Each structure stands twice: as structure tokens, then as C-alpha cells.
Amino acid sequence: MINEHGSQSILVSGESGAGKTETTKMLMRYLAFMGGRSGTEGRTVEQQVLESNPVLEAFGNAKTVKNNNSSRFGKFVEIQFDKYGKISGAAVRTYLLERSRVCQVSDPERNYHCFYMLCSAPPEDVKRFKVGNPRSFHYLNQTSCYEVANVDDAREYLETRNAMDIVGISQEEQDAIFRVVAAILHLGNINFSKGKEIDSSRLRDEKSINHLKIVAELLMCDEKLLEDSLCQRVIVTPDGNITKPLDPDSALQSRDALAKTVYSRLFDWIVDKINNSIGQDPDAISIIGVLDIYGFESFKVNSFEQLCINMTNEKLQQHFNQHVFKMEQEEYTRDEIDWSYVEFVDNQDVLDLIEKKPGGIIALLDEACMFPKSTHETFAQKMYQTYKSHKRFSKPKLARTAFTINHYAGDVTYQADYFLDKNKDYVVAEHQALLNSSRATTPSPDGNIEHDRTTLH
Ligand SMILES: Nc1ncnc2c1ncn2[C@@H]1O[C@H](COP(=O)(O)OP(=O)(O)OP(=O)(O)O)[C@@H](O)[C@H]1O
Ligand SMILES: [Mg+2]
């Protein structure tokens, strides 16, 4: 970089569990060592860059079948260097956090690490944040896996807080973050039963009422407003707004949607905070980028998340093919180097199948989402028809909604059942209004109540 004055990027690829994240951390440690300022006191940029890793892993990694510390988001870290070749700034960009995990986990996987850390926090924090045994929370007890081999969640909690200190997240902000984490756990314990009116719902029992109270307290919003935002929808019509009750099933979906929205906004907030705190160098001479994404995945059941993850890997594979095989070999030929040509499988056809506009799977899905009458079955039928003779696409025998793609790394069968809902995935207006109304009020030194800027809107 210094000799040739060129910015570079390092792309770390491999399937889930291969060691991408660990490799990325080694790369970053090496760059921090080479580009660090020896003898600098206090928090240096390179220290902050390194400590951003445990913070992001606490909120974006989870135990999966393939990997006890699987990244459930993509990350591109841009390390900036000044004219002396010293690190002068950094920026972290993240991609596509797996939101569904917050509300839905199955054996032998876990939810995001931060939930278990908070439940194992020192007693005063457990009390303060009103958490407790992870087995008592629906979002954690859908799976019987609570512990990860060789991981001490209690210690990780303290280490995450320590890393947050170094990264530049204040104690008040850390408390606000964990308040939100706790609120999500309690939100998951709110249940509904049929209400008085047809197709309406109400809180099921005392327990649910209690959890709702705690959520409202932790999120610093009004209890009634929270309940309404879960049990009702406002429909905008030309003649004014109509409030429509939701049946218990829809209320549960509304609850889960709120949990996912809050968690993904929390994650984005943390990333923004890290970026603001580390700071970018507008005068940087060059950068080294490091890309660490989630690896190729093939589970027993694969859904929209896996399609997105595998499409990303397919794209990176294409990039790799382009550079390593096509371009390098063309150069060898140009230079008349005696060279036996390495065959490689071009995966452009898989990419076209998934992302071509119009005609690709994503385009068909977007189209299906625009028709109110579409179901996952009509969407699947449309795919079966459209790709009948596509080499990379097949329909498993007897399948009604499943389809198989022949990826560069192997065949993966996807279940199209929740594709439409997952692709729509918008923020409910009522939820947004509820969260905007959150007011964190703390007494100021002179006794007046003032607005606390650390609320995570
Ligand atoms: N260089 C290494 N030395 C020792 N152990 C390693 C090394 N690299 C990886 N591992 C082990 O493998 C595990 C998985 O590695 P890592 O989390 O880096 O995988 P990944 O490729 O990022 O997977 P994912 O796509 O699921 O995020 C680590 O938790 C660690 O136990
Ligand atoms: Mg990883």
C-alpha cells in the first residue's frame, strides 16, 4: 500500500465455520500493529477498531449448527491510513443482520449472544434490567440450548462492557442498550387471547400484563400505547382513519415484528455509534478494506435468509472467478507464459437465476409481493413454470413450495413458505409512533427532569 500508493481490499471467503471472522481479526491485529503509533497513551484509533469486534459479535453473532460463534451479518471494515502509513481513522459498514433470529430459534442453536450475557450479568444488573433465568423467556426457551462450550456468558458480559468503554460508548449509553435488550425479552413473553369483539385480542393474563408493564417501563413509553400498537392497526381510508382490532395470532405477529424492528435498530445504532466514536479521516491517503460476511449455508430447512446469504456468496465467488481465473489467466496468455489453463465453473447462470431483472427469483418475489392475492404456493408455482428447464433450478419430488438451486458450493433446497412476509418486512407505522414517543427522563443535577439523549430512538 505504501510503496505503490494503492488502496486495497481483502475479501475473506469460505463456508460457515471456516474461520473467516477469526482470520479477519488476525488481519486487523496485524494492520493495527504495523500501522499503530507506538507509545501512544489512552484509546487509540487502532485499539478502538480492534475492540469494535467483541461489541459487534455480542449483538450480531450467535451459536448455529455450523459454528458456535456464527456471524449473522456482513461486515466491511475500512481502515484509513495517513501519509505516514499510520492508521488515522476507520469505518465499519454492516449488511443484512438476520432479524428473524430474535423471535425464532430452534435446537441446537441460540439467539444472539447479548441476551444470554445480560441474563448472566452481575446480580445488581440482573435486577436493574429486570431479567433473570433465560429459561423464563419465550425468545430464548424455544430451544433447549442455553450454554456454549467454553463460553462464559457472565465474563463475556463484563468484557463486552469493557470493549464498549474503549470504543467510546458511555455508561449511560450502555445502560440504554441493555435496557432495550431486556425490553425485547419481556416483549416476547406478552401473550394474547380472544377479546370481546370479533377478531380482537387482549392481554392473556396477569403475567402478560406484568411483562407489558416492564416493557413500557424499559422502553420508557406509555403502557396503553404499547398495548394498542400490538393489538390494533390503524387503516387509512379516504374518509379518515379506521382502527381495526387484530386477532390473537396477528397480535403475536405484531409483537414479533416490533421485537425485530427494535433489535435491528439497536444494532444499527451501535454501528453508528462506533463509527462516530472512532471517526473517519477526511485526509486519509489510502485505505485497506476487510470484508467478512456470513459464509455459504445449507441447513435442513433453508429460508429467505439463506437465499440472501448464498446469493451474496455466489456474487463473491463470481468476483473471485473474474480476478483469479479470468483476468490472471488472460494476463499469462498475453505475456506468453507457458501455462496450463485452469478450468473453472462460471456461475453467472446462478446469479442470473436469482437476481436478473426482470425474470430472476428476487424479481418474481417482488412482483408476488405487490399482488394482495399471492400466497407462497402461487409464488412457488410461478417459479416452477418459469424455470422449468433451467439447469440450476429444480423442483423436489412432491414439493409444493420447495425449490432447489444448484449453487457453486452445492445444491440447496429452500422452503418458500415465508418468503413473501420476509421480503415485505416493513416497519409498522404504529410501532414507529410508539418508539418515537419514548422519553428517557433522568433528573438533572439541579433536580429538573430533562430529556436524556441516550434513548435509542
Ligand atoms: N485460526 C484459528 N485458530 C483456531 N481456531 C480457529 C481459527 N479459525 C477458526 N477457528 C475456530 O473455528 C470457529 C469458527 O470460526 P469463525 O467464527 O471465524 O468462522 P466463520 O467463517 O466466520 O463462520 P460464519 O460464516 O458462521 O461466521 C472459531 O470459533 C474457532 O473455534
Ligand atoms: Mg463469521
Side-chain angles (χ1 to χ4, degrees), residues 15-22 24 57 61 67 69-73 292-295:
E15 68 178 80
S16 181
K20 296 180 294 298
T21 301
E22 294 301 322
T24 303
E57 286 183 24
N61 285 29
N67 180 356
N69 183 38
S70 184
S71 314
R72 310 315 295 161
F73 66 104
D292 170 26
I293 61 153
Y294 19 39

Side-chain angles (χ1 to χ4, degrees), residues 47 79 184 221 228 251 263 266 279 287 334 374 421-422 432:
Q47 243 180 337
I79 301 178
I184 291 170
C221 62
D228 287 350
Y263 193 79
L266 174 69
I287 66 141
R334 253 197 325 275
S374 315
D421 286 339
K422 286 178 177 176
Q432 195 174 343

Side-chain angles (χ1 to χ4, degrees), residues 350-390:
V350 193
L351 277 171
D352 285 348
L353 169 68
I354 303 173
E355 62 162 12
K356 197 167 175 198
K357 279 183 200 165
I361 292 175
I362 302 286
L364 285 194
L365 180 62
D366 284 341
E367 224 175 271
C369 286
M370 287 194 298
F371 293 109
K373 288 211 176 113
S374 315
T375 64
H376 47 267
E377 283 180 345
T378 59
F379 167 60
Q381 288 305 327
K382 178 87 189 179
M383 282 196 294
Y384 297 153
Q385 269 168 29
T386 315
Y387 311 123
K388 230 179 3 231
S389 48
H390 200 292

Side-chain angles (χ1 to χ4, degrees), residues 390-402:
H390 200 292
K391 268 204 329 281
R392 300 281 204 161
F393 183 96
S394 57
K395 170 181 182 290
K397 267 186 205 145
L398 304 176
R400 291 170 63 95
T401 59

Side-chain angles (χ1 to χ4, degrees), residues 57-284:
E57 286 183 24
F59 293 87
N61 285 29
K63 177 187 185 298
T64 65
V65 180
K66 300 256 167 77
N67 180 356
N68 285 351
N69 183 38
S70 184
S71 314
R72 310 315 295 161
F73 66 104
K75 179 177 78 176
F76 182 65
V77 184
E78 184 184 304
I79 301 178
Q80 300 156 351
F81 295 85
D82 64 15
K83 58 176 184 245
Y84 307 106
K86 295 293 169 198
I87 295 178
S88 56
V92 181
R93 217 172 305 162
T94 59
Y95 306 90
L96 205 77
L97 179 75
E98 184 185 62
R99 298 152 52 107
S100 58
R101 181 168 299 270
V102 177
C103 314
Q104 211 181 33
V105 219
S106 54
D107 262 318
E109 307 208 333
R110 286 209 315 182
N111 211 317
Y112 287 104
H113 297 325
C114 65
F115 292 111
Y116 305 89
M117 288 180 192
L118 182 58
C119 290
S120 320
E124 63 271 20
D125 280 11
V126 165
K127 199 164 155 219
R128 205 152 59 97
F129 295 112
K130 303 185 186 320
V131 287
N133 191 333
R135 288 164 180 80
S136 63
F137 292 109
H138 170 68
Y139 285 158
L140 308 184
N141 67 22
Q142 301 161 57
T143 141
S144 57
C145 177
Y146 295 97
E147 270 137 37
V148 178
N150 305 321
V151 175
D152 177 354
D153 288 311
R155 219 181 76 195
E156 297 278 322
Y157 175 77
L158 298 175
E159 284 180 1
T160 302
R161 280 217 169 226
N162 191 33
M164 285 173 158
D165 286 337
I166 296 172
V167 163
I169 302 178
S170 72
Q171 289 290 328
E172 291 74 33
E173 286 164 338
Q174 293 177 27
D175 286 349
I177 290 169
F178 284 107
R179 234 170 26 230
V180 173
V181 173
I184 291 170
L185 288 179
H186 285 281
L187 188 62
N189 280 13
I190 302 176
N191 285 301
F192 307 91
S193 54
K194 277 190 188 155
K196 284 196 200 95
E197 292 168 52
I198 302 170
D199 285 343
S200 72
S201 57
R202 59 184 182 83
L203 296 171
R204 195 172 70 189
D205 46 22
E206 269 311 305
K207 272 192 189 158
S208 290
I209 295 172
N210 203 25
H211 286 295
L212 181 102
K213 280 202 173 102
I214 299 176
V215 176
E217 194 186 319
L218 290 166
L219 291 182
M220 301 187 179
C221 62
D222 184 69
E223 260 175 65
K224 182 75 179 94
L225 198 62
L226 172 61
E227 185 180 342
D228 287 350
S229 78
L230 296 176
C231 300
Q232 296 174 355
R233 261 312 147 272
V234 176
I235 297 169
V236 183
T237 72
D239 304 326
N241 293 351
I242 302 172
T243 305
K244 176 182 155 247
L246 296 177
D247 62 25
D249 271 354
S250 313
L252 270 190
Q253 275 178 29
S254 170
R255 177 197 78 184
D256 289 350
L258 178 62
K260 285 185 276 191
T261 300
V262 172
Y263 193 79
S264 63
R265 296 303 296 260
L266 174 69
F267 187 75
D268 292 345
W269 187 91
I270 294 172
V271 175
D272 276 352
K273 180 75 205 170
I274 291 173
N275 280 322
N276 288 331
S277 163
I278 298 178
Q280 316 237 337
D281 176 12
D283 302 320

